[in-house]
């Protein structure tokens, strides 16, 4: 495998895997807010 | 009967939303696009388009959906109506129901192939078949008159079974969809990782006398070697924008519908990012590590260059798995087609929810009634995609109705709707209100630059892609077409451009040039089937418009000030 291809794979996969993991962990760690059952006036 | 369902958990919502986006294209379309658009360099326009078009569209659809949900709307006609008083928005919102009905009709058919191939992999049907035998098997499967298992109309049976399964899950409501996503998505990722590890470790071990240069790493290298000169080619950018658009399942109304069930104070910004990036993980990481490396490992790079495409999933992969021995091939086939099945069903379930939301909100239908009516309509629309085809010389199948649905409902309609909703959100509803809506309850801070990207960049990009497909030049060669235009040679449209397709130019040309009487007759029959398929689509669109009108009258009689 050429160095250029290897570098592209490493950079791309690092960006995608780390960003996906970051957001997913943030979702798991953030609790849901308390409910508000009010229905607003339309328009 | 009130439609006050809500998601059971945040993870369930994100997995369902990611499942909606993850489809067969992640594993089959992305690698083929990357290979033919600059290899590793393709990732640059791809990620740029994700940031400038994909993320903005996700934010628009998630926040519009939650906004409509606050008023009790769970489908695009009245979600769009809640954002602006002018009547025509609700009729533009019809696309968000129509598209799903028409796409589900043929998408469930593809899904049923994966279901059937799981069965055939486990039953050992492909054992000792040659590569061409596997390809012939697929053609025979689509040709419903030829039985592959001894079961008459096997394709029809699997299609009906697949549709029944979808409908049954939908009849359980959001809980059913959430449970399917919670089972399907982790399994999809697990199967994908196992197959990707195999693709990465295959190396040259599978080289044979017939393919002495077979090397999985050469396949990976071919896919990822950046050809930076391709970045100056507008076609590559248009293809990257198209890939981002289709992979995220935006412009369909499904994201709106799912988001409409998010409680009014809950976050949409982090959820949108999380689901969007999960789709990217499946596409970029898993999608690039399975088909191309494994096929290159057995058949060599030259074979890939000539044959890379959608058909590889069914016509080639079973043969490649066969080389792993009877037990492992059954296991690998089950994982590969199981993975595609989960990718498919999590998307097709999303397609059922806008119709259900609409009928429950507007006509007080029950969850079950709305689900079974969806199943019945998809069956009526979908059975022509299974039964109307032509066997071409050489045995391959021309799926006429299937292709028409895919083109008009699965491609053109999505762009029209996405462009309309972006204009509505950024320019009519107003970017100030829109930005407030995106950030309400947000668990992350979206960079303020997105306010301007959504208002100016995303609509321009969408318009460029839409005009690009409308006026696609001959052989999709934009460089030559633009230089030809500026040197006064005019603009020649490709037969695959939307304008030419509208007039069925390609088929008409073929009919005019056909010399063989039998071939001419076949083409003329195809023209008739094409017209029938379009009429059917038009009838569905008009039918949904009528229902929206009835719902509007009903609302007006209940509340004259509405």
């Amino acid at each position: 495998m050429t160095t250029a291809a290897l570098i592209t794979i490493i950079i791309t996969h690092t960006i995608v895997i780390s960003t996906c993991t970051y957001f997913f962990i943030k979702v798991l760690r953030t609790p849901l807010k308390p409910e508000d059952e009010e229905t607003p006036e339309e328009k | 009967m009130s439609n006050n369902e809500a998601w059971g958990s945040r993870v369930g919502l994100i997995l369902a939303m990611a499942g909606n986006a993850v489809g067969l294209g992640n594993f089959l379309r992305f690698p083929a696009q990357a290979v033919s658009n600059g290899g590793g360099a393709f990732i640059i326009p791809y990620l740029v388009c994700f940031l400038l078009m994909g993320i903005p569209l996700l934010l628009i659809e998630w926040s519009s959906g939650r906004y409509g949900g606050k008023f009790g709307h769970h489908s695009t006609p009245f979600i769009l109506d809640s954002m602006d008083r002018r009547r025509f928005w609700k009729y533009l919102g019809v696309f968000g129901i129509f598209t799903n009905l028409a796409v589900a009709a043929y998408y469930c058919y593809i899904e049923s192939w994966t279901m059937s191939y799981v069965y055939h992999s486990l039953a050992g049907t492909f054992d000792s078949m040659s590569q061409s035998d596997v390809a012939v098997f697929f053609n025979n499967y689509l040709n419903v008159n030829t039985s592959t298992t001894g079961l008459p109309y096997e394709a029809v049976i699997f299609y009906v079974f697949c549709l029944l399964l979808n409908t049954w899950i939908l009849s359980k409501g959001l809980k059913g969809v959430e449970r399917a996503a919670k089972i399907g998505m982790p399994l999809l990722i697990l199967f994908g990782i196992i197959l990707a590890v195999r693709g990465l470790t295959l190396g040259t071990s599978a080289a044979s006398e017939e393919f002495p240069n077979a090397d999985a790493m050469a396949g990976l290298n071919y896919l990822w070697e950046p050809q930076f000169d391709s970045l100056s080619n507008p076609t590559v950018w248009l293809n990257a924008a198209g890939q981002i658009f289709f992979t995220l399942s935006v412009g369909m109304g499904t994201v709106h519908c799912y988001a409409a069930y998010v409680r009014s104070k809950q976050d949409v910004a982090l959820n949108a990012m999380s689901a969007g990036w999960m789709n990217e993980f499946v596409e970029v990481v898993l999608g690039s590590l399975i088909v191309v490396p494994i096929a290159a490992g057995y058949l060599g790079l030259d074979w890939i260059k000539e044959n890379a495409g959608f058909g590889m999933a069914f016509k080639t992969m079973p043969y490649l798995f066969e080389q792993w021995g009877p037990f492992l091939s059954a296991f690998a086939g089950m994982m590969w087609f199981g993975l595609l099945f989960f990718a498919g069903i999590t998307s097709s379930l999303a397609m059922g929810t806008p119709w259900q939301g609409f009928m429950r909100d507007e006509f007080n239908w029950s969850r079950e009634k709305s689900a079974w009516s969806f199943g019945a309509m998809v069956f009526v629309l979908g059975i022509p995609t299974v039964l109307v085809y032509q066997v071409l010389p050489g045995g391959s199948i021309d799926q006429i109705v299937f292709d028409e649905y895919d083109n008009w409902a699965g491609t053109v309609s999505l762009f029209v709707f996405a462009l309309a909703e972006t204009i509505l959100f950024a320019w009519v509803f107003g970017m100030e209100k829109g930005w407030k809506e995106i950030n309400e309850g947000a668990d992350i801070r979206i960079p303020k630059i997105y306010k301007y990207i959504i208002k100016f960049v995303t609509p321009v990009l969408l318009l460029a892609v839409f005009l690009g497909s409308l006026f696609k030049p001959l052989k999709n060669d934009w460089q030559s077409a633009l230089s030809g235009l500026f040197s006064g040679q005019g603009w020649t449209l490709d037969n695959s451009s939307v304008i030419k397709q509208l007039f069925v130019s390609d088929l008409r040309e073929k009919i005019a040039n056909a010399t063989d009487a039998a071939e001419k007759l076949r083409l003329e029959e195809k023209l008739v089937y094409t017209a029938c398929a379009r009429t059917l689509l038009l009838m569905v669109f008009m039918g949904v418009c009528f229902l929206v009108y009835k719902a509007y009258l009903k609302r007006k009689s209940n509340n004259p000030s509405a």
Side-chain angles (χ1 to χ4, degrees), chain B residues 324-532:
Chain B
W324 300 359
F327 175 72
L328 276 181
S329 74
F331 190 60
M334 184 270 292
M335 284 196 295
W336 170 243
F337 292 109
L339 167 162
L340 293 180
F341 173 71
F342 288 128
I345 196 164
T346 46
S347 302
S348 60
L349 288 173
M351 293 172 204
T353 48
W355 168 263
Q356 277 191 293
F358 177 72
M359 295 312 280
R360 295 186 66 193
D361 291 344
E362 307 304 328
F363 299 102
N364 295 328
W365 281 21
S366 68
R367 214 167 48 197
E368 290 78 10
K369 190 175 172 186
S370 59
W372 289 103
S373 61
F374 173 78
M377 274 191 305
V378 170
F379 176 75
V380 171
L381 259 177
I383 209 69
T385 69
V386 184
L387 298 178
V388 180
Y389 59 86
Q390 289 180 332
V391 183
L392 300 177
S396 59
I397 304 291
D398 186 357
Q399 294 174 287
I400 305 162
V401 178
F402 183 110
D403 291 342
E404 280 302 305
Y405 285 9
D406 184 30
N407 189 38
W408 297 108
T411 311
V412 178
S413 296
L414 304 189
F415 277 116
V416 173
F417 184 65
L419 191 58
E421 68 173 345
T422 307
I423 292 168
L424 169 66
F425 187 86
W427 293 89
V428 181
F429 184 62
M431 206 51 235
E432 289 305 322
K433 267 170 88 181
W435 188 246
K436 197 174 149 225
E437 199 54 41
I438 288 170
N439 286 293
E440 192 175 345
D443 288 329
I444 51 163
R445 182 183 289 272
I446 301 287
K448 206 169 180 184
I449 192 169
Y450 268 102
K451 192 174 169 182
Y452 304 99
I453 291 175
I454 290 173
K455 187 161 186 177
F456 300 106
V457 182
T458 310
V460 171
L461 260 175
L462 277 168
L463 197 63
V465 178
F466 184 60
L467 292 177
S469 55
L470 208 59
F471 300 106
K472 189 190 278 184
L474 195 61
K475 293 178 184 165
N476 201 15
D477 185 354
W478 286 83
Q479 271 171 328
S480 308
L482 287 169
S483 59
L485 183 70
F486 292 124
S487 59
Q489 291 169 0
W491 189 274
T492 312
L493 290 172
D494 192 80
N495 276 340
S496 64
S497 66
V498 175
I499 292 181
K500 286 268 192 170
Q501 281 182 353
L502 191 63
F503 297 104
V504 212
S505 305
D506 187 38
L507 191 54
R508 287 184 198 281
E509 267 175 36
K510 282 180 184 161
I511 292 171
N513 297 332
T515 47
D516 179 55
E519 176 65 0
K520 200 178 176 88
L521 186 66
R522 183 186 75 77
L523 294 169
E524 281 169 350
E525 267 180 13
K526 184 176 175 176
L527 193 62
V528 174
Y529 290 138
T530 302
C532 290

Side-chain angles (χ1 to χ4, degrees), chain B residues 129-152:
Chain B
M129 270 193 188
S130 70
Q131 196 190 335
S132 58
D133 287 344
V134 174
V136 168
F137 178 90
F138 182 64
N139 291 336
N140 286 345
Y141 182 82
L142 297 187
N143 185 351
V144 291
N145 296 317
T146 316
S147 172
T148 52
T149 53
L151 249 142

Side-chain angles (χ1 to χ4, degrees), chain B residues 239-257:
Chain B
N239 288 341
Q243 178 62 26
I244 280 297
F245 189 84
F246 291 118
T247 188
L248 293 172
S249 294
V250 284
M252 287 189 78
T254 48
V255 176
H256 300 80
C257 179

Side-chain angles (χ1 to χ4, degrees), chain B residues 9-200:
Chain B
S9 70
R10 192 170 188 178
V11 173
L13 162 66
I14 286 167
L15 289 177
M17 200 66 100
N20 167 37
V22 171
L24 279 73
N26 290 54
F27 296 93
L28 304 172
R29 196 174 188 269
F30 173 76
Q33 285 286 321
V35 160
S36 53
N37 287 289
F42 179 71
I43 210 73
I44 296 174
Y46 176 83
L47 286 180
V48 168
C49 289
F50 179 59
L51 296 175
L52 299 181
M53 192 174 80
I55 288 177
L57 278 169
L58 286 174
L59 292 172
I60 290 172
E61 298 199 348
W62 272 83
S63 50
S64 304
R66 187 189 55 180
Y67 181 78
K70 287 178 195 174
F71 305 107
H73 307 315
H74 300 89
S75 62
T76 49
F78 287 97
I79 288 175
L80 264 55
D81 183 63
S82 67
M83 295 170 75
D84 186 63
R85 272 193 177 278
R86 273 161 284 203
R87 281 185 196 181
F88 65 86
W89 289 114
K90 62 171 116 6
Y91 296 104
L92 264 168
V94 166
F95 276 106
I97 295 176
F98 156 78
T99 303
N100 290 294
L101 287 169
V103 173
Y106 70 85
Y107 201 83
C108 285
Y109 187 34
I110 307 177
E111 204 177 301
S112 72
W113 304 346
T114 64
M115 193 186 251
S116 149
Y117 268 57
V118 168
Y119 159 74
H120 285 299
S121 299
L122 292 173
T125 309
F126 304 115
D127 290 354
S128 69
M129 270 193 188
S130 70
Q131 196 190 335
S132 58
D133 287 344
V134 174
V136 168
F137 178 90
F138 182 64
N139 291 336
N140 286 345
Y141 182 82
L142 297 187
N143 185 351
V144 291
N145 296 317
T146 316
S147 172
T148 52
T149 53
L151 249 142
Y153 301 107
E154 185 191 343
V156 182
I157 291 170
F158 272 103
Y159 178 63
V160 172
F161 184 63
C162 184
L163 207 49
L164 284 173
L165 180 65
N166 271 278
T167 311
W168 178 73
I169 296 173
L170 283 170
S171 72
K172 304 288 168 200
L174 280 190
K175 265 189 193 162
V177 173
E178 201 172 326
R179 197 167 296 162
K182 279 182 171 173
I183 296 169
M185 286 304 287
L187 276 176
L188 179 153
I189 291 173
L190 177 72
F191 290 170
I193 289 173
I194 294 172
L195 291 168
V197 168
R198 181 63 180 154
L200 274 173

